[in-house]
Amino acid sequence: MSERHPTLTAPFAERAAQASHPLTNYLFRLMVLKSSNLCLSADVQTARELLSLADKAGPSIVVLKTHYDLISGWDYNPVTGTGAKLAALARKHGFLIFEDRKFVDIGKTVQMQYTAGTARIIEWAHIVNANIDAGKDMVRALAEAAAKWKERINYEVKTSVTVGTPVSDHFDDGMENGDEPGRLDPREQLGGFSRDGRDADGRKGSIVSITTVTQSFEPADSPRLPKTVTEGDELVFAGIEEAPTDRGLLLLAQMSSKGCLMTKEYTQACVEAARENKGFVMGFVAQEALNTLPDDNFIHITPGCKLPPEGEDENGHIEGDGLGQQYNTPEKLVTIRGTDIVIVGRGIIQAGDPPSEAERYRKKAWKAYLSRIRASE
Ligand code: BMP
């Protein structure tokens, strides 16, 4: 770890201003606004528990980490399902969703796993991660998939804003998913008219109708709010704009588990891949800060974090889980190892009162950050 790298002592607000990735800029600002550098790893068993936990702990966190494939009852409907509901809670409480999918495969496969299939991860997860054992090209593949997705989202918006005459081609291009079950009915999206400009009875729409269409769309770069969120969850967190539609990637550079086989060379390859894909890679899931070049401003997010029970010595050793997981305190991870965000799962979930335990972790991790940046004074 580079002890004196400027990002270790720079306040998050400064790092936001210097961030090249729009989502990293947003995340740093969210952290300052909420005085939080806490990510909750919501490894619960059911979709109901997941949504309830996200709602209750939401005020304390800046990132909610999911493993969608361990949740039973995950509803895959992109508009009314679990992903869409989580996205609404993320807007309401001001946090980003990080699907801990750890993509590792050839480029074409990870593109499909990211954007299609059952879960359509890209639709609801602001952030995903990847193990780059398969080689750096898969990072570029994910970046391309994310760029294409964003273009499609904005294309839908721009088309609706600029089209003056209902020409069918304009509505068809790049909208591969519109007719699949669970997607918004295109007629609903277009204010009662299908993409070829016909209404439900097959009559051609008029230009006046298209004008109505333009008003039903949100501006480019603003995430779309699902129409079917629970009442009260349609609120938007105050003090900051909604998260950008940009998607981001974290590279799994080091792991918290005992005997992890990731070598120094692998970790260094992650750093290089990050530098080569700055427009998409936000930073790392790692056990220490990896910024070394003067320009590096990657964000670090670290699992394997636990506090001893209230009142016990925080400098003592914290037992692992007996299955390879190793733990460090927020103090050690943020102040000494230089990470920016700590990830906590069972430390919060298994507490008697998870929301108040999340607050305890938030305060400890934030205090550790403050003492880290003050070390430079
Ligand atoms: P817990 O705090 O309950 O040990 O959970 C840690 C979470 O972080 C799990 O979801 C695990 O999959 C994830 N994780 C980890 O523990 N170590 C890593 O190196 C990378 C991870 O994603």
Side-chain angles (χ1 to χ4, degrees):
M1 165 181 159
S2 57
E3 290 295 342
R4 285 185 298 277
H5 192 273
T7 51
L8 288 172
T9 46
F12 290 144
E14 210 172 281
R15 291 182 63 191
Q18 288 160 5
S20 51
H21 194 306
L23 207 51
T24 312
N25 165 286
Y26 183 84
L27 181 51
F28 276 130
R29 287 189 293 125
L30 200 56
M31 290 158 76
V32 175
L33 182 65
K34 295 180 80 173
S35 299
S36 173
N37 51 344
L38 176 63
C39 166
L40 171 63
S41 184
D43 301 331
V44 290
Q45 291 181 349
T46 66
R48 186 190 286 249
E49 284 172 275
L50 171 67
L51 294 171
S52 162
L53 183 64
D55 200 17
K56 288 183 185 140
S60 303
I61 63 175
V62 283
V63 179
L64 181 89
K65 187 174 84 60
T66 53
H67 280 294
Y68 83 88
D69 56 355
L70 58 77
I71 303 288
S72 71
W74 183 279
D75 179 345
Y76 291 107
N77 187 308
V79 180
T80 58
T82 311
K85 284 182 177 148
L86 265 188
L89 290 172
R91 274 187 211 97
K92 176 179 159 188
H93 293 298
F95 60 78
L96 297 181
I97 304 167
F98 163 27
E99 166 55 32
D100 190 1
R101 176 62 182 75
K102 300 185 179 73
F103 293 112
V104 53
D105 213 314
I106 59 165
K108 183 65 194 166
T109 301
V110 294
Q111 283 184 337
M112 292 166 75
Q113 289 170 324
Y114 185 25
T115 62
T118 46
R120 292 176 179 280
I121 294 168
I122 198 166
E123 300 280 347
W124 49 270
H126 305 93
I127 304 170
V128 290
N129 58 352
N131 173 328
I132 68 159
D133 265 333
K136 287 192 280 187
D137 281 358
M138 57 90 84
V139 176
R140 190 167 48 82
L142 287 168
E144 281 175 17
K148 220 171 170 182
W149 176 83
K150 190 182 169 195
E151 202 178 289
R152 183 167 65 78
I153 295 293
N154 290 347
Y155 177 82
E156 289 173 16
V157 175
K158 280 183 196 142
T159 301
S160 71
V161 170
T162 55
V163 158
T165 314
V167 179
S168 59
D169 285 351
H170 284 131
F171 290 111
D172 285 337
D173 276 353
M175 295 176 73
E176 308 141 4
N177 304 318
D179 289 330
E180 290 171 31
R183 298 282 298 178
L184 269 184
D185 179 341
R187 277 191 292 268
E188 197 186 339
Q189 287 189 20
L190 300 174
F193 282 83
S194 67
R195 290 191 203 139
D196 65 3
R198 289 177 193 278
D199 69 10
D201 301 324
R203 290 183 302 252
K204 268 280 181 191
S206 66
I207 292 172
V208 174
S209 308
I210 291 297
T211 306
T212 311
V213 167
T214 65
Q215 290 168 345
S216 71
F217 278 77
E218 292 175 41
D221 288 328
S222 166
R224 294 163 302 168
L225 190 65
K227 289 182 175 176
T228 46
V229 297
T230 311
E231 206 176 324
D233 288 349
E234 73 283 8
L235 303 171
V236 177
F237 189 69
I240 192 166
E241 75 282 8
E242 286 185 57
T245 47
D246 299 77
R247 294 311 194 217
L249 181 71
L250 296 169
L251 299 182
L252 186 68
Q254 296 166 329
M255 289 197 68
S256 59
S257 43
K258 200 170 153 193
C260 169
L261 299 175
M262 289 168 174
T263 60
K264 279 201 172 76
E265 290 71 29
Y266 167 84
T267 302
Q268 187 53 30
C270 287
V271 174
E272 279 154 27
R275 288 177 187 146
E276 286 162 22
N277 293 276
K278 272 190 194 167
F280 184 49
V281 177
M282 300 169 70
F284 309 102
V285 175
Q287 292 296 305
E288 60 184 346
L290 298 172
N291 289 329
T292 51
L293 294 185
D295 276 358
D296 287 347
N297 184 23
F298 296 110
I299 196 162
H300 299 79
I301 176 159
T302 301
C305 180
K306 220 172 199 179
L307 279 168
E310 189 97 62
E312 281 186 25
D313 178 15
E314 283 183 28
N315 298 315
H317 175 71
I318 301 178
E319 283 299 319
D321 68 354
L323 293 172
Q325 177 67 301
Q326 306 177 108
Y327 291 110
N328 286 293
T329 59
E331 164 76 17
K332 181 166 178 193
L333 292 174
V334 176
T335 312
I336 300 173
R337 300 256 188 104
T339 197
D340 300 309
I341 297 177
V342 294
I343 300 177
V344 183
R346 285 164 287 182
I348 292 174
I349 296 166
Q350 292 179 349
D353 180 7
S356 63
E357 193 66 355
E359 257 309 277
R360 185 164 85 99
Y361 274 88
R362 181 194 67 75
K363 285 181 189 152
K364 295 279 184 196
W366 192 252
K367 193 172 158 213
Y369 153 69
L370 292 178
S371 80
R372 186 179 88 197
I373 59 168
R374 277 184 197 132
S376 65
E377 287 170 2

